[in-house]
Amino acid sequence: MAKFHIKKGDKVVVLSGEDKGKEGTVQEMLPKAGKAIVEGINVVKKHKKPSATDPQGGIEETEAPIYLSKLMLVDPATGEATRIGRKADENGKLVRYSKKTQEIIK
């Protein structure tokens, strides 16, 4: 499985597209598609047909997946978008770090 620059629960900013500049939290990663679902980003309307469980039906708003290349991690220390690097910590385990502040990202 490939390693990605963001993980579930990370705060990210959108770099391009309709939602450019908006921030949100990653709710779900879709690694095979190279996409992520981000809270409040790429919201689409889905028409629901009435059914036994939902007799009313109607129009439902939901977040659609967005390509990972359009997302950049927000540095927890500064609150700005930053690139990510990987380096070994004192235990020899690979950890992510901010290229701007050189701080390890949990």
Side-chain angles (χ1 to χ4, degrees):
M1 191 165 117
K3 295 224 183 244
F4 298 109
H5 62 286
I6 59 173
K7 292 181 180 181
K8 183 178 177 180
D10 282 347
K11 191 170 184 175
V12 294
V13 64
V14 180
L15 299 176
S16 65
E18 188 179 309
D19 294 322
K20 181 178 179 177
K22 290 186 182 177
E23 291 185 7
T25 307
V26 177
Q27 292 179 328
E28 187 180 343
M29 291 290 293
L30 306 169
K32 286 186 179 176
K35 295 182 178 186
I37 296 175
V38 183
E39 179 184 355
I41 305 295
N42 201 19
V43 177
V44 295
K45 292 184 177 185
K46 191 170 186 178
H47 293 70
K48 288 285 192 175
K49 202 171 182 183
S51 64
T53 56
D54 185 20
Q56 188 63 33
I59 301 170
E60 183 181 283
E61 288 192 353
T62 182
E63 288 98 2
I66 186 169
Y67 282 106
L68 295 175
S69 61
K70 291 186 171 198
L71 303 175
M72 188 178 259
L73 187 81
V74 173
D75 191 351
T78 61
E80 296 177 359
T82 181
R83 289 177 184 236
I84 296 301
R86 286 190 181 79
K87 63 181 176 184
D89 63 355
E90 57 274 355
N91 300 332
K93 186 178 179 191
L94 271 182
V95 292
R96 298 181 304 162
Y97 73 96
S98 165
K99 293 232 179 164
K100 268 189 184 173
T101 60
Q102 302 297 315
E103 289 187 34
I104 292 176
I105 297 169
K106 300 286 180 197

